[in-house]
Amino acid sequence: MQGPIQTAYKDTFQSTVLPVFERGCQSMFQQINDSFKQGTHEYIQQLETHMKNRKQREQDTRDPMIGQLQQMMDSFQSSTDQLASSISATVRAEVQHQMQMVVGNLQESILSHVQRIVKGEVSLAMKEQQAVVTSSIMQAMRSAAGTPVPTAHLDYQTQQANILQFLQQGQLNQAFQQALSATDLNLVLYVCETIDSQQVFGQTPCPLSQPVLLSLIQQLSSNLATRSELKISYLEDALMNLDHSDPLTRDHMSSVLAQVRPKLITFLQQDPHSPLSKRARRLLMMLQGLVNH
């Protein structure tokens, strides 16, 4: 019985149980496969949806940032253009300013150089003219005196003694003539201080000759910074006593007065509040009137 039972069991297992088991396994595996495929498909769809949503969110977040970044770039470009324009204008203005300063300094330098040259030439010409005028006036003084007045070899004390002797004798013209011929302003001032101006110019006619008056005006005006009141007082009286009809005065008055004018202007500029300013201005007006006469 054991052999037939085993054989029957084996045949039954192979013909019935095994096929049923195989079909059950196939069905189960098919179901598992379908479930896996469906699950995988759903997962892929969910993942794609998630990625799309994430991409959309990132894009939504990124677009404003890109817009802001673009605005910032546009603003930076505009600022750069404005800055470049401003720097260009500033540099151009600075260059123009520097050029103007350089040109101005160059003009001032050239003008100053030309002024120095012209001033030197004019000063030299005035000195030469003054020397000619002085020489001419001195010659006229000696001619008027009749005899030469030798003073170059005399010392100051001797000349002072001679001048004092002339003054004591009432020879005012000779006293001034000797002081002026010595071309020593101290001697001229000594005469002016020793004798009152009214004693000289209060007489009619004036005891001083025209050459002496011209020389006195010329030498007293050479330096008005010292003994100003005495010099201006004598200048006023000497100018008032110039004789326009005298040939020597007509020839040399313009040259002498042209030398006095800048001295008075310099005196006024150096001390505009001086008590003598009014008298100095009156002298300038007097000079202008004499030149235009």
Side-chain angles (χ1 to χ4, degrees), residues 217-275:
I217 293 171
Q218 185 182 45
Q219 293 193 32
L220 287 179
S221 63
S222 62
N223 180 15
L224 295 175
T226 59
R227 316 292 285 279
S228 306
E229 185 174 2
L230 177 65
K231 293 174 183 178
I232 288 177
S233 178
Y234 263 85
L235 284 173
E236 290 173 338
D237 290 328
L239 288 171
M240 292 293 295
N241 283 274
L242 287 177
D243 184 3
H244 298 255
S245 63
D246 185 271
L248 180 68
T249 303
R250 284 200 308 269
D251 291 341
H252 298 293
M253 184 174 67
S254 297
S255 299
V256 172
L257 298 186
Q259 299 170 19
V260 178
R261 180 180 173 80
K263 302 295 185 181
L264 284 170
I265 293 175
T266 301
F267 172 75
L268 288 171
Q269 290 175 344
Q270 290 176 346
D271 192 5
H273 303 295
S274 170

Side-chain angles (χ1 to χ4, degrees), residues 86-145:
S86 176
I87 291 174
S88 177
T90 303
V91 170
R92 189 181 302 110
E94 183 65 22
V95 169
Q96 290 179 351
H97 177 65
Q98 293 295 332
M99 288 296 294
Q100 289 176 355
M101 289 183 61
V102 169
V103 172
N105 292 336
L106 184 60
Q107 288 178 343
E108 290 179 0
S109 177
I110 293 174
L111 181 60
S112 176
H113 186 62
V114 171
Q115 286 177 341
R116 284 198 301 270
I117 294 175
V118 172
K119 185 177 180 180
E121 294 294 333
V122 171
S123 177
L124 180 60
M126 288 184 64
K127 287 181 180 178
E128 292 177 352
Q129 177 66 18
Q130 183 177 1
V132 172
V133 172
T134 303
S135 175
S136 177
I137 293 174
M138 289 297 127
Q139 177 144 12
M141 288 168 57
R142 293 188 181 93
S143 299

Side-chain angles (χ1 to χ4, degrees), residues 64-76:
M65 294 180 63
I66 292 176
Q68 292 178 0
L69 182 60
Q70 185 65 39
Q71 291 179 357
M72 291 176 63
M73 290 177 64
D74 294 340
S75 176
F76 179 73

Side-chain angles (χ1 to χ4, degrees), residues 131-154 159 173-174 176-184 209-213 215 218-219 248:
V132 172
V133 172
T134 303
S135 175
S136 177
I137 293 174
M138 289 297 127
Q139 177 144 12
M141 288 168 57
R142 293 188 181 93
S143 299
T147 57
V149 183
T151 58
H153 64 282
L154 301 178
Q159 292 177 3
N173 191 71
Q174 287 82 349
F176 275 98
Q177 183 173 334
Q178 180 160 346
L180 294 166
S181 299
T183 62
D184 186 344
S209 65
Q210 291 298 303
V212 169
L213 286 174
S215 182
Q218 185 182 45
Q219 293 193 32
L248 180 68

